[in-house]
Amino acid sequence: MADLFAPTGAEAIKTYICTQETAEAVLAQLSDAQQKIAQFHGFDGGLSQALIVHAAEQPIALLGIGNDAARKRGRFALAAAAAKLPDGIYEFCNDDALQGNPVELVGWFIDQYRFDRYKTIKRPARQLVKPDWADADRIAAMVEAEILCRDLINAPAADMGPAELADAVRELAAQHMAEFSIIVGDELLAQNFPMIHAVGRAAEQEPRLIDLKWGSAGPKITLVGKGVCFDTGGLDLKPAASMALMKKDMGGSANVIALAHMIMRMKLPVQLRVLIPAVENAVSGNAFRPKDILNSRKGLSVEINNTDAEGRLVLADALALASEDNPDFILSMATLTGAARVAVGPDIAPFFSGSDAFSSALLLGCHSAQDPVWELPFWDPYEAMIEPDIADLDNAPAGGLGGAITAALFLRRFVNDPEKYAHFDIFAWSAQNAPGRPKGGNSTGARAVFEALPKFLNL
Ligand code: BES
Ligand code: ZN
Ligand code: ZN
């Protein structure tokens, strides 16, 4: 997407951005006729107000982004107003209200995303002349990442199985001249990924482990994303209502792919690795069963107490591999538990971190990224809950109390250095349309991490 912004010099509609506090002063600069029209329509800078004022002069656009309180209730305040503008090219004359936050411009573009797999809007209908202060590459990186993430999640499972997910990573690798490799089917057993194989073996498409490597200097960062392309629950079959959205169970992988794109597009000086166990949790005669005991790459045995707790199993083998080359940081993202949703709802990405430095960089980063995250604890006293009688670990502790925490503790068992590990339990979906976040697949936490990484790693 080379030409995100309209070319400079394009004939554009002059656009004034107002808050409720600044509207009066901005309107005072306009002609009498323009002021009268604005007044007639009751324009006062309120959130999501948009007005084209067409008096004797050239038309201008007025956008309202409200007051602090209104803005706190949503993200992407600019997008909320811009959504009401007709197609055209716009140029800001007065954008102090945006306080130089590039993410508001990202919102302008990603609000216009519609899932049309074969006709993604390549050139947004509401175009924008680049404000001087904006870094076009950085904004493009974020917008492209968001579109990629949404397209991957929104694609139905029939068109986004493990093979197609692998193709998407292969393409991304080619785009950034990264190394791509993959282990497929029974080769997973030969190379000691027993849990990825066990979860994925019942599906028509073979399970696989996708591996991308990029960059030759700087800290080693490994991203691990849950790539369950469809989660039926397995033999512990999900009821219809719970299964309905499970094409999005590869949302963790879509988010790490989006994050990887931003990192590579902006050439962050890191050695990046992306690992995605890509499987379908299906039902068949050869499906893994409740009470089976699986071996894992790390050597820990796992008693299966619910075949629907499959994400932690495939992630465990990938995390064990991630640890083998001792990276400086490992980060996993996964649509892992319903418990995380109950705890914080759909918008907020709960994360678990073994590093205080990472947590504080992230909690700062999430504000400017307008990508809310919230820390939950790796609560050691709950370790006992994931230890069954007859194996090392239990994949689904009875009762389910603290389900997001016990899942995170389970994953942590598979990394070598818990202080260099963070995990995100995300939703990756919006049930309703909101400014900048249309209904359907959405990134959750990827931009917050992207903002935080340079601070955290002193890049
Ligand atoms: N993919 C689901 C988790 C999920 C459900 C994420 C709904 C987002 C929305 C996961 O594989 C799962 O089914 N987890 C179970 C685990 C339980 C059986 C221990 C859950 O959370 O109910
Ligand atoms: Zn499941
Ligand atoms: Zn799942």
Side-chain angles (χ1 to χ4, degrees):
M1 198 196 285
D3 51 355
L4 185 66
F5 288 99
T8 16
E11 199 175 315
I13 300 173
K14 304 273 181 248
T15 303
Y16 298 82
I17 301 170
C18 307
T19 66
Q20 265 166 315
E21 293 79 16
T22 63
E24 227 179 276
V26 174
L27 293 179
Q29 303 165 20
L30 306 180
S31 73
D32 283 353
Q34 287 170 326
Q35 288 189 42
K36 271 207 185 106
I37 294 172
Q39 224 167 26
F40 175 79
H41 286 281
F43 182 87
D44 67 357
L47 181 67
S48 79
Q49 290 184 4
L51 193 61
I52 299 281
V53 178
H54 200 165
E57 305 89 343
Q58 289 296 311
I60 60 162
L62 295 174
L63 297 178
I65 62 168
N67 55 23
D68 281 352
R71 281 198 297 280
K72 264 194 192 145
R73 290 184 57 160
R75 301 181 224 181
F76 307 123
L78 177 65
K84 299 191 173 148
L85 292 174
D87 288 358
I89 306 179
Y90 296 86
E91 181 170 19
F92 300 148
C93 299
N94 172 343
D95 60 8
D96 300 353
L98 300 181
Q99 298 177 332
N101 185 354
V103 174
E104 284 295 341
L105 304 186
V106 172
W108 172 287
F109 292 109
I110 64 178
D111 184 69
Q112 301 182 55
Y113 171 91
R114 297 292 173 266
F115 179 60
D116 187 343
R117 182 165 165 174
Y118 306 99
K119 207 181 84 185
T120 296
I121 301 166
K122 296 282 193 290
R123 207 184 154 82
R126 289 189 299 278
Q127 296 184 52
L128 193 60
V129 174
K130 191 183 85 60
D132 288 340
W133 52 268
D135 174 345
D137 276 335
R138 190 173 171 78
I139 291 166
M142 290 193 259
V143 172
E144 289 159 2
E146 185 64 45
I147 290 173
L148 179 58
C149 182
R150 289 178 186 173
D151 279 349
L152 291 170
I153 298 172
N154 287 331
D159 292 330
M160 188 51 64
E164 289 85 7
L165 186 57
D167 287 344
V169 180
R170 195 181 281 113
E171 263 174 48
L172 187 76
Q175 187 187 339
H176 295 288
M177 297 196 299
E179 276 174 51
F180 175 88
S181 64
I182 187 162
I183 303 169
V184 185
D186 287 346
E187 193 55 26
L188 288 166
L189 287 179
Q191 294 196 33
N192 193 24
F193 296 96
M195 295 209 294
I196 299 177
H197 186 271
V199 172
R201 73 187 179 211
E204 208 164 274
Q205 274 199 23
E206 291 179 300
R208 53 206 81 198
L209 177 61
I210 302 164
D211 192 347
L212 175 149
K213 285 182 185 160
W214 175 89
S216 50
K220 280 188 184 176
I221 305 300
T222 300
L223 310 177
V224 182
K226 174 174 171 181
V228 175
C229 293
F230 196 78
D231 183 9
T232 65
L235 291 174
D236 290 312
L237 197 66
K238 284 181 185 289
S242 310
M243 204 191 296
L245 279 183
M246 283 299 123
K247 69 171 184 180
K248 77 167 178 74
D249 212 18
M250 32 59 73
S253 66
N255 271 270
V256 300
I257 289 169
L259 177 55
H261 176 69
M262 292 186 277
I263 290 172
M264 296 189 286
R265 172 80 143 88
M266 296 313 291
K267 299 199 164 45
L268 295 197
V270 297
Q271 300 181 69
L272 178 69
R273 187 176 194 187
V274 179
L275 291 171
I276 297 173
V279 301
E280 193 180 325
N281 188 19
V283 181
S284 178
N286 67 340
F288 74 125
R289 309 162 195 84
K291 294 292 177 199
D292 278 354
I293 294 181
L294 304 183
N295 192 15
S296 65
R297 180 174 187 82
K298 181 115 189 243
L300 295 167
S301 61
V302 180
E303 183 179 64
I304 302 305
N305 280 305
N306 195 321
T307 61
D308 196 10
E310 83 298 337
R312 67 198 74 186
L313 305 174
V314 298
L315 288 168
D317 275 354
L319 287 168
L321 174 66
S323 284
E324 286 165 23
D325 57 2
N326 290 315
D328 295 289
F329 208 66
I330 298 178
L331 199 148
S332 56
M333 296 184 114
T335 49
L336 203 61
T337 69
R341 299 316 18 113
V342 174
V344 294
D347 288 2
I348 301 167
F351 73 97
F352 302 81
S353 169
S355 156
D356 290 343
F358 178 76
S359 303
S360 42
L362 188 66
L363 289 167
L364 278 177
C366 83
H367 287 296
S368 53
Q370 293 174 199
D371 193 9
V373 298
W374 198 258
E375 188 163 10
L376 291 181
F378 276 123
W379 186 247
D380 295 287
Y382 293 171
E383 288 281 3
M385 289 161 71
I386 59 172
E387 291 163 352
D389 295 337
I390 60 167
D392 295 325
L393 291 171
D394 178 343
N395 82 325
L401 291 181
I405 297 175
T406 52
L409 290 173
F410 183 100
L411 295 180
R412 191 176 68 167
R413 292 285 185 110
F414 293 86
V415 298
N416 282 349
D417 187 348
E419 290 181 9
K420 296 179 178 167
Y421 175 53
H423 158 65
F424 286 73
D425 193 334
I426 62 173
F427 194 45
W429 189 264
S430 292
Q432 271 116 26
N433 278 318
R437 287 173 68 80
K439 189 174 164 177
N442 271 300
S443 81
T444 319
R447 270 194 302 280
V449 175
F450 178 59
E451 286 286 313
L453 275 185
K455 278 176 226 127
F456 168 55
L457 299 169
N458 298 314
L459 300 177

